[in-house]
Every structure is written in structure tokens, then in C-alpha cells.
Amino acid sequence: GAGVAVGVSRIGARGGQSRHVSALPVPTRRTAGIVGLAAVGLVVLLGVLVVVGWPPLFAVDTAIEDAVHGWVLGAPWAVELSRSLSRMGNLSVSFWVTVATVLVLVAARRWRLALGIVGVTTLAPLVTDWLKVVVERPRPVWEDAFATEGTFAYPSGHATAGLAVYAACGIALAMLLRDRRWAVALAAGATVLALSIGVSRVVLGVHWP
């Protein structure tokens, strides 16, 4: 705990930031790099498997999609909840969440965090749109459709926005808190919300798991 606090203070001092000590542990550049490469590798691997039509992936996707559709037909509340979550993934909403987060970080003089949020939320949709065109995976087709989309299915723009905006912003804001319990609660809650936005797209039948 003390070592992390000192490390954060030193990072802040070198970067011209305030000497605020975060209640959350700060990963090293090495750890962040490994996690980043692993995430990119997973996205690329799934894209390749979709392009080559790997049967096990398609079988699992279809089985889950059929099971979800069968359940949703008898759960109208899940449809309404998913529609609300999906709206949170729209640019018209996520943009203002990003702006508010950046303003708070700037006010707290956490310049690097603010710049990181701007970078992540700007690059994520651009990369997502590019990958959609490269992979060209068709969306699921339900006889009783709860939503419609005109673009390709992989990767999900809403799922990406959920993680790039809500999870990232929530974790960044949690870094401002000194109380560990509140910081963990905020970071965890934001991440759960982000994942829920992705799940909502499967529930509505416009994306594969």
C-alpha cells in the first residue's frame, strides 16, 4: 500500500500532475503493455476465426443466440432494459459522458488520465468501424426482431463504446478517490455497466455473443 502510494506520487510529480494518491493500484507500463497486446491479440484472433468460418465458434454463437432468443420472447422486461442499455452506447450519450469525465479530470489536474480518455474514446470507434469492413460478418437474423442495424456484426460498436467510454471513464474517475472501497465500487460498477451494454446487443438480436 505504501509502496503504491509513493509510486503514484512520484508518477504524478514527474508528469506535472497533482500529488494525489489513488486508492486503486496503478499498473506498471510493462503490465499495461502485456494486457494491451493480449487484448489486441484476442480481437484479431476472433476476427480471423470469423473470416475463415471456424465451425466451433459459429456453433457456439448460434447455440447461445438461439437460447437467448427463446428466453427473450417470454421476458419483455429484458427487451426494454436492453434497449435502455443500448441507448447508453449511442454516440449521442457516450460523447457527453466522455466530455464530463475529461472535464472532471482536467479540474483535478490529472492531465495524463484526461488525455488517455480522449485517446481511447476517439480511437475505439475508428478501429471498430475499420474492423467491421475488414471482417464483414453478417448480423443475426431473427424472425421477431427487437432492433435492426445496417452495419456488419463484428466487432460491436456498442460493446466497444461500453468498454472504451463507461469502463474507462469509471476507472479513471475512481483513480481520483482516496477511499479504496468507493474507488473499487465505482470502477467495478462502471465495468459491469460496460459489459451489460454489450450483452444488451445480444439480447436484442443484433450481435453474436
Side-chain angles (χ1 to χ4, degrees), residues 144-193:
D144 303 305
F146 296 110
T148 57
E149 297 287 350
T151 57
F152 291 110
Y154 182 84
S156 164
H158 281 73
T160 303
L163 291 171
V165 175
Y166 292 96
C169 288
I171 293 171
L173 293 175
M175 298 291 291
L176 303 180
L177 302 179
R178 297 179 183 275
D179 188 297
R180 181 175 178 80
R181 291 170 298 180
W182 284 107
V184 171
L186 176 57
T191 302
V192 170
L193 173 60

Side-chain angles (χ1 to χ4, degrees), residues 66-93:
D66 290 344
V68 169
H69 184 42
W71 171 72
V72 170
L73 289 175
W77 63 268
V79 176
E80 294 305 316
L81 176 60
S82 295
R83 284 173 175 164
S84 297
L85 289 169
S86 285
R87 282 193 289 271
M88 296 183 69
N90 292 338
L91 180 61
S92 58
V93 178

Side-chain angles (χ1 to χ4, degrees), residues 77-205:
W77 63 268
V79 176
E80 294 305 316
L81 176 60
S82 295
R83 284 173 175 164
S84 297
L85 289 169
S86 285
R87 282 193 289 271
M88 296 183 69
N90 292 338
L91 180 61
S92 58
V93 178
S94 60
F95 172 79
W96 293 111
V97 172
T98 301
V99 170
T101 300
V102 170
L103 290 176
V104 171
L105 294 173
V106 169
R109 300 177 63 187
R110 302 302 296 272
W111 314 115
R112 288 183 179 178
L113 277 177
L115 183 60
I117 291 299
V118 171
V120 167
T121 55
T122 300
L123 288 175
L126 296 177
V127 173
T128 299
D129 290 343
W130 175 73
L131 285 174
K132 281 180 181 289
V133 177
V134 172
V135 177
E136 293 187 346
R137 185 178 193 187
R139 291 178 184 267
V141 178
W142 283 6
E143 184 177 346
D144 303 305
F146 296 110
T148 57
E149 297 287 350
T151 57
F152 291 110
Y154 182 84
S156 164
H158 281 73
T160 303
L163 291 171
V165 175
Y166 292 96
C169 288
I171 293 171
L173 293 175
M175 298 291 291
L176 303 180
L177 302 179
R178 297 179 183 275
D179 188 297
R180 181 175 178 80
R181 291 170 298 180
W182 284 107
V184 171
L186 176 57
T191 302
V192 170
L193 173 60
L195 295 173
S196 298
I197 292 174
V199 172
S200 74
R201 305 301 285 169
V202 178
V203 172
L204 293 176

Side-chain angles (χ1 to χ4, degrees), residues 14-31:
R14 285 197 298 267
Q17 304 204 52
S18 61
R19 290 178 174 270
H20 174 85
V21 178
S22 171
L24 294 179
V26 180
T28 63
R29 290 184 179 180
R30 177 183 175 83
T31 300

